[in-house]
Amino acid sequence: MRKLIILSLSMLLGGSMTAAAQQVLKGTVKDSLTKQPVPGATVKVVGSNKGATTNAAGEFELNVPANAQLQISSMGFENVIVKAALISTGPVLLKIQALELNSTVVVGYGTQQRAKVTNAISTVGSSSLTPEKNIVSDAAKALQGRVAGVFVASSNGNPGSTPNIQIRGAQSVNANGANPLIVIDGLIVEGNTVNINTINPQDIESMEVLKDAASAAIYGARGSGGVIIITTKKGKINSKPAFSINAYTGVNNVPTSRRMLNSTEYTSAFMDARNNRLADIDKRLKDPTTPAGEITQLNNEINNLKSQITGLNMADRSIDWIDRIKNKNAPINNIQASMSGGNEKSSYYMSLGRYAEEMVWGSGNFERYTARLDLTQTVNNWLKVNGGLSINQSVTKNVSNPIAYAFQARPDTPEEPVRNADGSLGYYVGMQQHPLGVMENNQNKNKVLSYIGRLTADISFTKDLQFRSSFNASKYNSLNRDFYSPLTYLGNSTKGSTKTSGQDNFNYTFDNYFTYNKRVNKLGINAVAGYTFYSTELTSLGYDLNGYPVVDGITGAGAGSAYGSVGTISNYNINNKELSDAFFARTGFDWEGKYLLNASLRRDGSSKLLSINRYSWFPSISGGWDVAKENFLHGNKLISQLKLRSSYGMSGNIRPLNYWDAQNLLLATSYNGLSALQINSVIGNPNIRWERTRQVDAGIDATMFSNRLTLAFDYYNKTTDGLMSSNQVSWVYGAASTPDNIGNIRNKGVDLEMAYSSKAGKKFSWKVSTNMNINKNEIISLKDSLTNYGTFVFGGPQSKAKVGQSVGSVQVYESQGVDPQTGDIIYTDRNKDGLWNTNDMVTIPIAIPKFTGGTTLTFGYKGFTLDALITYVVGNKVYDYYEQTLRSYDRDFYGAMPNMFDVVTKRWRKPGDITDVPRAITGKHGAGQTADWNYRPSTQFIYNASYVRLRNINLSYAVPAALISKAKINSARVYIAAQNLVTITKYIGFDPEAAANSGVVSTNVPNPQSAVIGIDVSF
């Protein structure tokens, strides 16, 4: 009995001593630069399997021995080891590591350790997607100036608009086919399935940009334009629940460097134009060789011009209508709430968000609501399941952009619109529409509701072999309604009209693949092999109704009395479907982490193509050598990594191809009230195939000075063959064009990314990172020397692609300037035949920049953080189409001379004047004796659009824990931020960035200047 009691006491005391040796440790992990929490950091007890993950507030809780040491790591930061006893003294500060050698990089169908990546892949993390650094609705704009080789241009400043994106130049002669493939958590996003604008940027964990063909080849026929992989946020295992709110409010404004003529200047221009024409007529009448018939015509013109002069009747008022239609201090608001957490076997992430923005020009607003739920459950030791659902609704309503009418309106147009006796809008002079009247009764609404769902099962057969089955789907529904009251300008001719249209689209991706990772002594092996199936179905519907009572309060379709044209209905109601599948495999080897080899192969097919061209192979191979791991550099304190890498790959592009371009179709129509068939405007080409891009890449990754300096340099050369476009066909076929593979294009250049940061532990910390891309784009061959590129612009330049030039050229006359003696433009007569026609036109490359880049500056001191992003674009030009059209001094279709930009105040006025703006003249003039001579599409309207822009600057302050701990607040931060604050450019227009893909500027709304104040709080 005595022995039993002693044994029992020993066990109790031993248990007590063991319990006493354990402690519940609570700590916080923060960024040493910004003093902000680091969520998702891994906290492990050295020498054991115990660990935890920090929550959104950077907090963790863990049972540890009293003398334990903790290893703390997080992607983007250097690992640290701290004693458990020091955790209670304050937060653990992690230093930013510019190149995360031990972190993982998301690639196609898996991940890779960054140190072993042999491809050109760049990452933008969630820290660059915070609201204050990206005051826009679109996450894609966060790439602007942050990734070498990625050119992002917001061609339109309207709320909810998405930017144009090019990765290492344009690889297509289809202006709409140049954007890269976007993959969201495995879901392929293209066409009208899901718009990236529907995704809440604060729900994104990272964006990986696959720039070379070797990394994009795993996506086969869709990857030649580059690939952007978006990974959304998920909960972390072993993390405490955390609730966060980030909100800001502010205003948008449009800076205006241009103005319209005031009434005095308008009158002067109007009179000069007619008096100059009268002077020309007088010279012609004094010429004895003038035919009698022409003399009669000239005398009639004299009477008409004098009548216009005496009938001008300018009122004593002057309004700059560009300034008048501005919505000054347009509100912008954003709020995001999220909650996340997890235990040993499950984790969760949920969020709600609202973003709202008003038009800065005209009227209208954009509003988006987002909701997201992501759950992960470890079922047992061999099965883990992840599911996610996001619901996004965006509404754009009451949008009216009367910029064209503001350009045209006479400056003496009264402030209030003119009304007819029945209350409908009238006209002040001629039939010029009043800019504010255009904005009235503007009842339009575009509502988009999208659902994105994901269900993934991960099966572990062994510790080395796993299998993943993933089903990703999206449902996209849109409803557009435009109602024009019979009291409005647009509804007057039809006695009121309503247009209702919508889309009901569904697409899904079903991926199944094995992953194998094995280390045998010094040899590391990784492999992926699987099958993917993709389906997208697009359904559109709609109708038109006309004829409404001329009364107020009518808004719906129920009061309409007649349908629109049958042709309109047939264009609205369309169904298209594409099915595609692929087998793919990727394998990689490394020896001691020094010698690296990766290869991939994909066999892709699409129902867009006929069976003879349906499938194709897309291979890639890449290799690398980390010289820093060789014995002669091992332990070197100067160089941590010096990796040489090279790759070759082939990828494809099928997106420019329409669903039925490989087949001939008949269209349903009506004839004499009966149903009929007609030939489709496009003749199918059964031999059409996808574009193929072959790319060679050679690069260097270097990390030096204790990881303070990082460098990534790439040279690339890629050629695309089988460019998809269309050829015009003879009218005898009853069609307009046929699709075809028409030529080759090459992009070659260099990418450079570099960063340098201060030493860890300094009170004043800083980091400078910069990137740049130099790219040369050249069309190598075409079936014809020229082909169409962008959208046709009536009366403007023709957007073309020409052999030997970059895409995005314009075909125009070559201006030699203004003749100092006559005041008219001199055009080059290239064939010396005394005529000026299309044979004398030249093609001028404008759309593709030669040099792009960005620089980010970050400074931190005692809780304050200042962050600035400067972007620059060099070598591109724009064609200002509205500058061209507003050089006409004739009366327009509406019966009045349109107003003009104030640049015409520098016009030629008398012989000997030296200027680049021709004289004011109406009627026939110039060497060609045409009415449009001085404003023909020509090089005089091509402007240098290079610019440097302070795209974003923000200042934040982390509130000390002592001030917020009593309120149970884990962290709090306040910030102010501004976007597009300063732009340096020679372009005289509104915004050098706001141009179409083709480089043509018309009614593009400039990107606004934004200023916000916000708060970020975690509980």
Side-chain angles (χ1 to χ4, degrees):
M1 176 63 71
R2 182 181 176 185
K3 292 182 178 180
L4 180 61
I5 293 174
I6 293 173
L7 179 61
S8 299
L9 289 173
S10 299
M11 292 177 66
L12 288 172
L13 287 172
S16 299
M17 291 174 64
T18 302
Q22 296 286 326
Q23 61 176 324
V24 177
L25 189 66
K26 296 180 180 180
T28 305
V29 180
K30 291 187 176 183
D31 183 338
S32 65
L33 179 61
T34 64
K35 304 303 186 292
Q36 293 307 299
V38 178
T42 301
V43 182
K44 287 187 176 181
V45 178
V46 177
S48 77
N49 294 324
K50 288 186 177 181
T53 306
T54 59
N55 60 17
E59 300 173 318
F60 68 91
E61 184 175 308
L62 190 62
N63 283 323
V64 300
N67 60 346
Q69 287 187 319
L70 303 180
Q71 178 177 320
I72 303 176
S73 61
S74 179
M75 185 176 71
F77 296 90
E78 294 184 1
N79 296 349
V80 297
I81 296 178
V82 295
K83 293 181 179 180
L86 298 178
I87 295 296
S88 59
T89 62
V92 178
L93 300 179
L94 299 186
K95 180 188 174 185
I96 293 176
Q97 186 180 55
L99 189 63
E100 310 89 15
L101 303 182
N102 297 318
S103 65
T104 57
V105 177
V106 179
V107 296
Y109 308 102
T111 61
Q112 285 185 346
Q113 191 176 5
R114 180 170 289 278
K116 299 174 184 177
V117 169
T118 53
N119 305 128
I121 301 176
S122 294
T123 301
V124 174
S126 57
S127 61
S128 298
L129 297 167
T130 56
E132 68 271 21
K133 296 181 182 179
N134 197 41
I135 312 174
V136 290
S137 62
D138 194 328
K141 295 174 184 175
L143 298 173
Q144 193 172 32
R146 290 190 170 99
V147 178
V150 178
F151 174 52
V152 181
S154 300
S155 61
N156 196 323
N158 281 333
S161 62
T162 56
N164 300 319
I165 307 173
Q166 292 179 3
I167 297 179
R168 291 182 168 180
Q171 285 105 246
S172 178
V173 289
N174 184 318
N176 296 322
N179 284 337
L181 177 71
I182 295 175
V183 181
I184 302 175
D185 288 332
L187 177 67
I188 293 175
V189 175
E190 60 181 355
N192 292 323
T193 52
V194 173
N195 192 317
I196 192 174
N197 193 35
T198 63
I199 306 297
N200 188 341
Q202 282 83 67
D203 280 336
I204 296 176
E205 182 69 31
S206 68
M207 293 194 292
E208 263 79 17
V209 183
L210 313 186
K211 297 188 290 186
D212 64 340
S215 59
I218 199 70
Y219 287 101
R222 303 177 190 276
S224 70
V227 181
I228 298 174
I229 301 178
I230 295 176
T231 304
T232 57
K233 291 180 178 178
K234 296 174 176 59
K236 309 295 183 182
I237 61 171
N238 292 323
S239 62
K240 292 174 56 180
F243 180 73
S244 301
I245 296 179
N246 193 311
Y248 68 69
T249 184
V251 295
N252 281 342
N253 281 290
V254 174
T256 303
S257 57
R258 273 179 166 172
R259 69 171 179 85
M260 307 306 292
L261 299 179
N262 59 35
S263 292
T264 300
E265 294 165 337
Y266 178 93
T267 301
S268 173
F270 185 92
M271 296 301 182
D272 279 359
R274 281 133 190 90
N275 288 329
N276 284 335
R277 176 57 180 160
L278 289 172
D280 285 0
I281 291 175
D282 185 58
K283 293 178 182 179
R284 185 64 177 159
L285 291 175
K286 291 178 180 179
D287 186 348
T289 64
T290 304
E294 184 181 348
I295 291 175
T296 301
Q297 181 182 352
L298 293 174
N299 283 324
N300 291 334
E301 188 177 353
I302 289 174
N303 294 331
N304 183 32
L305 292 171
K306 289 182 177 179
S307 175
Q308 292 181 29
I309 292 173
T310 57
L312 179 59
N313 297 325
M314 292 289 291
D316 186 19
R317 57 175 172 263
S318 187
I319 299 176
D320 186 344
W321 284 104
I322 288 183
D323 185 71
R324 182 64 184 82
I325 66 169
K326 284 183 182 179
N327 184 9
K328 298 178 181 177
N329 295 322
I332 178 173
N333 297 282
N334 183 64
I335 183 169
Q336 157 97 1
S338 64
M339 187 171 181
S340 63
N343 55 33
E344 292 183 355
K345 290 191 175 183
S346 63
S347 63
Y348 62 88
Y349 175 88
M350 59 185 73
S351 70
L352 291 171
R354 176 185 179 270
Y355 177 89
E357 180 182 4
E358 287 195 10
M359 286 272 289
V360 290
W361 244 347
S363 63
N365 61 78
F366 171 81
E367 190 173 28
R368 181 188 63 210
Y369 290 91
T370 60
R372 185 168 178 271
L373 174 64
D374 189 280
L375 301 172
T376 301
Q377 178 67 49
T378 300
V379 180
N380 50 44
N381 60 358
W382 59 268
L383 177 62
K384 184 171 70 173
V385 177
N386 172 253
L389 176 65
S390 63
I391 303 174
N392 309 288
Q393 176 180 287
S394 61
V395 179
T396 307
K397 60 183 179 180
N398 302 328
V399 171
S400 177
N401 178 16
I403 185 171
Y405 305 101
F407 289 160
Q408 295 166 343
R410 282 183 17 166
D412 66 333
T413 300
E415 182 81 12
E416 293 296 323
V418 177
R419 305 264 177 203
N420 297 321
D422 62 358
S424 61
L425 289 167
Y427 307 96
Y428 171 62
V429 58
M431 294 184 67
Q432 276 198 339
Q433 298 182 18
H434 194 284
L436 298 185
V438 172
M439 295 164 58
E440 288 189 359
N441 293 316
N442 200 16
Q443 301 175 39
N444 57 62
K445 185 177 182 179
N446 177 12
K447 181 179 179 180
V448 174
L449 185 61
S450 64
Y451 307 85
I452 302 176
R454 181 184 70 260
L455 184 61
T456 299
D458 291 311
I459 300 174
S460 297
F461 294 104
T462 68
K463 67 176 183 178
D464 304 319
L465 180 63
Q466 290 83 36
F467 174 76
R468 167 169 288 189
S469 182
S470 178
F471 183 82
N472 298 270
S474 71
K475 181 73 172 175
Y476 179 95
N477 294 105
S478 68
L479 180 63
N480 306 316
R481 191 197 68 176
D482 297 318
F483 176 75
Y484 303 103
S485 163
L487 303 176
T488 64
Y489 291 123
L490 291 175
N492 180 267
S493 61
T494 58
K495 297 183 179 179
S497 67
T498 182
K499 296 181 180 180
T500 301
S501 62
Q503 291 182 325
D504 182 15
N505 304 333
F506 179 73
N507 79 311
Y508 67 87
T509 305
F510 189 34
D511 298 329
N512 294 274
Y513 56 92
F514 291 90
T515 301
Y516 180 76
N517 288 282
K518 181 72 172 179
R519 185 136 217 113
V520 182
N521 297 324
K522 296 182 179 181
L523 176 65
I525 305 170
N526 67 83
V528 174
Y531 172 81
T532 181
F533 182 85
Y534 173 71
S535 170
T536 178
E537 184 171 6
L538 310 181
T539 302
S540 61
L541 49 95
Y543 60 87
D544 292 347
L545 288 173
N546 302 323
Y548 288 78
V550 186
V551 293
D552 287 326
I554 302 295
T555 60
S561 61
Y563 283 103
S565 68
V566 175
T568 301
I569 294 176
S570 63
N571 290 333
Y572 281 158
N573 296 273
I574 299 173
N575 178 264
N576 290 310
K577 187 173 184 178
E578 179 193 4
L579 301 176
S580 66
D581 66 344
F583 292 93
F584 60 88
R586 180 180 61 235
T587 185
F589 303 92
D590 76 271
W591 184 264
E592 292 186 318
K594 291 189 296 185
Y595 312 112
L596 313 168
L597 180 65
N598 290 281
S600 70
L601 182 65
R602 176 164 172 146
R603 184 176 185 265
D604 222 333
S606 171
S607 62
K608 285 184 178 181
L609 301 172
L610 298 188
S611 57
I612 56 173
N613 293 318
R614 181 160 296 164
Y615 287 92
S616 188
W617 294 94
F618 299 94
S620 76
I621 187 169
S622 60
W625 175 32
D626 192 346
V627 184
K629 292 187 176 181
E630 294 292 351
N631 291 333
F632 58 84
L633 283 178
H634 184 70
N636 187 293
K637 296 182 179 181
L638 176 64
I639 301 175
S640 304
Q641 184 193 46
L642 181 60
K643 182 170 62 177
L644 310 180
R645 51 182 169 78
S646 183
S647 68
Y648 171 82
M650 180 189 298
S651 53
N653 185 15
I654 199 172
R655 282 172 288 158
L657 189 68
N658 292 319
Y659 290 91
W660 306 105
D661 280 357
Q663 304 177 47
N664 285 320
L665 297 179
L666 294 175
L667 296 182
T669 185
S670 64
Y671 182 75
N672 288 336
L674 300 175
S675 59
L677 295 174
Q678 70 178 27
I679 296 175
N680 190 10
S681 60
V682 176
I683 295 178
N685 179 1
N687 296 316
I688 192 77
R689 61 174 177 83
W690 34 41
E691 299 174 351
R692 294 178 302 186
T693 296
R694 297 174 174 86
Q695 182 174 179
V696 175
D697 184 281
I700 301 173
D701 295 331
T703 306
M704 295 178 285
F705 306 126
S706 300
N707 297 330
R708 292 179 59 197
L709 174 65
T710 64
L711 174 71
F713 175 85
D714 282 89
Y715 167 80
Y716 60 88
N717 189 329
K718 59 180 179 177
T719 302
T720 303
D721 62 59
L723 295 172
M724 287 183 181
S725 186
S726 59
N727 294 323
Q728 294 181 345
V729 298
S730 173
W731 62 270
V732 299
Y733 291 98
S737 63
T738 182
D740 199 1
N741 300 107
I742 64 169
N744 302 337
I745 191 172
R746 178 190 295 125
N747 286 273
K748 60 181 179 180
V750 295
D751 290 343
L752 175 64
E753 294 181 349
M754 186 167 57
Y756 191 60
S757 60
S758 61
K759 290 183 178 180
K762 298 291 185 181
K763 290 184 178 180
F764 176 76
S765 55
W766 52 267
K767 180 183 178 182
V768 179
S769 59
T770 188
N771 68 83
M772 56 165 281
N773 168 262
I774 300 175
N775 183 75
K776 182 180 181 182
N777 177 277
E778 182 182 4
I779 299 173
I780 302 172
S781 66
L782 294 172
K783 287 190 174 180
D784 296 316
S785 60
L786 280 174
T787 189
N788 295 327
Y789 179 68
T791 305
F792 172 77
V793 180
F794 181 78
Q798 303 307 304
S799 183
K800 297 290 185 180
K802 183 180 180 181
V803 174
Q805 294 184 345
S806 61
V807 299
S809 298
V810 287
Q811 190 176 25
V812 293
Y813 292 98
E814 184 178 28
S815 170
Q816 298 182 15
V818 176
D819 187 338
Q821 298 305 312
T822 66
D824 293 322
I825 294 290
I826 302 172
Y827 298 112
T828 302
D829 182 10
R830 301 183 66 82
N831 57 7
K832 309 298 182 183
D833 63 354
L835 302 174
W836 289 266
N837 50 37
T838 55
N839 294 326
D840 299 300
M841 285 185 164
V842 294
T843 55
I844 307 295
I846 63 171
I848 305 298
K850 294 181 176 62
F851 173 82
T852 61
T855 299
T856 301
L857 308 172
T858 305
F859 305 96
Y861 181 72
K862 291 186 177 180
F864 287 95
T865 303
L866 178 66
D867 187 278
L869 172 63
I870 302 168
T871 60
Y872 25 90
V873 177
V874 179
N876 63 314
K877 300 177 176 63
V878 297
Y879 187 95
D880 199 324
Y881 172 63
Y882 255 87
E883 179 69 49
Q884 176 198 337
T885 59
L886 295 181
R887 291 285 184 91
S888 171
Y889 296 84
D890 296 333
R891 290 193 298 186
D892 62 12
F893 172 79
Y894 300 107
M897 186 185 83
N899 203 354
M900 303 177 183
F901 296 124
D902 63 341
V903 68
V904 301
T905 58
K906 300 190 301 179
R907 65 185 180 273
W908 183 97
R909 296 175 189 267
K910 64 181 185 304
D913 282 352
I914 304 298
T915 180
D916 57 356
V917 182
R919 63 174 173 159
I921 183 74
T922 184
K924 294 180 179 180
H925 60 280
Q929 283 297 292
T930 61
D932 67 342
W933 182 262
N934 279 345
Y935 62 94
R936 284 186 169 189
S938 72
T939 55
Q940 68 171 313
F941 303 114
I942 296 177
Y943 293 93
N944 182 351
S946 301
Y947 66 90
V948 177
R949 170 168 282 173
L950 178 57
R951 186 179 182 274
N952 183 281
I953 184 168
N954 61 85
L955 176 65
S956 64
Y957 175 67
V959 182
L963 299 179
I964 58 177
S965 58
K966 291 183 179 180
K968 305 299 181 181
I969 298 175
N970 297 323
S971 66
R973 183 172 59 95
V974 293
Y975 59 83
I976 55 174
Q979 195 145 294
N980 299 330
L981 193 61
V982 178
T983 302
I984 302 173
T985 182
K986 293 183 178 180
Y987 177 47
I988 66 172
F990 297 112
D991 183 0
E993 184 181 337
N997 287 9
S998 59
V1000 177
V1001 174
S1002 56
T1003 54
N1004 304 72
V1005 174
N1007 292 285
Q1009 290 180 338
S1010 305
V1012 301
I1013 182 171
I1015 186 170
D1016 185 3
V1017 182
S1018 294
F1019 301 90

